[in-house]
Amino acid sequence: MISERPFNRTDRVANEIQNILGLIQTQYIDLSYLGFITFTKVITSSDLKHAKVFFLPLTGKEIIKFSDILNQNSLEIKKIASREWTAKFMPN
């Protein structure tokens, strides 16, 4: 029987961050002026202190513009995400 849960802790944390980001986009932060963004993958460091988030705008264009806006709002995104986070530390 194959388990649907990710094998190691870093994968589980990455999946949880990806789910929280999707929730934030739809319920907490109004990024509608950007259009729809899909968070495609999250990779966490082995110590779980840092996370790299990959995304793709629905239009597939102006990725640099989207990246700059998300980076400018990263502190606000982290604050909102930490409300949903259950572990001790929220990755940067």
Side-chain angles (χ1 to χ4, degrees):
M1 182 176 192
I2 298 175
S3 173
E4 299 215 4
R5 291 182 55 190
F7 180 72
N8 61 24
R9 185 171 182 189
T10 57
D11 290 342
R12 289 192 305 268
V13 168
N15 283 342
E16 184 64 24
I17 291 171
Q18 190 171 358
N19 291 337
I20 290 171
L21 288 173
L23 180 69
I24 286 172
Q25 177 184 353
T26 59
Q27 294 183 3
Y28 294 106
I29 297 178
D30 182 23
L31 298 175
S32 59
Y33 63 93
L34 290 176
F36 189 73
I37 300 171
T38 301
F39 295 101
T40 57
K41 187 173 187 175
V42 176
I43 298 174
T44 57
S45 62
S46 59
D47 63 358
L48 303 176
K49 299 239 181 203
H50 301 281
K52 187 180 287 189
V53 178
F54 296 88
F55 68 94
L56 186 64
L58 185 61
T59 60
K61 298 179 182 177
E62 301 179 0
I63 293 176
I64 301 297
K65 174 184 164 187
F66 284 91
S67 178
D68 291 341
I69 292 171
L70 289 173
N71 283 330
Q72 289 171 359
N73 293 315
S74 64
L75 184 60
E76 182 181 357
I77 292 169
K78 184 177 178 182
K79 284 180 184 178
I80 294 170
S82 66
R83 294 179 199 157
E84 302 290 329
W85 192 248
T86 57
K88 188 172 184 179
F89 296 106
M90 179 71 191
N92 289 326

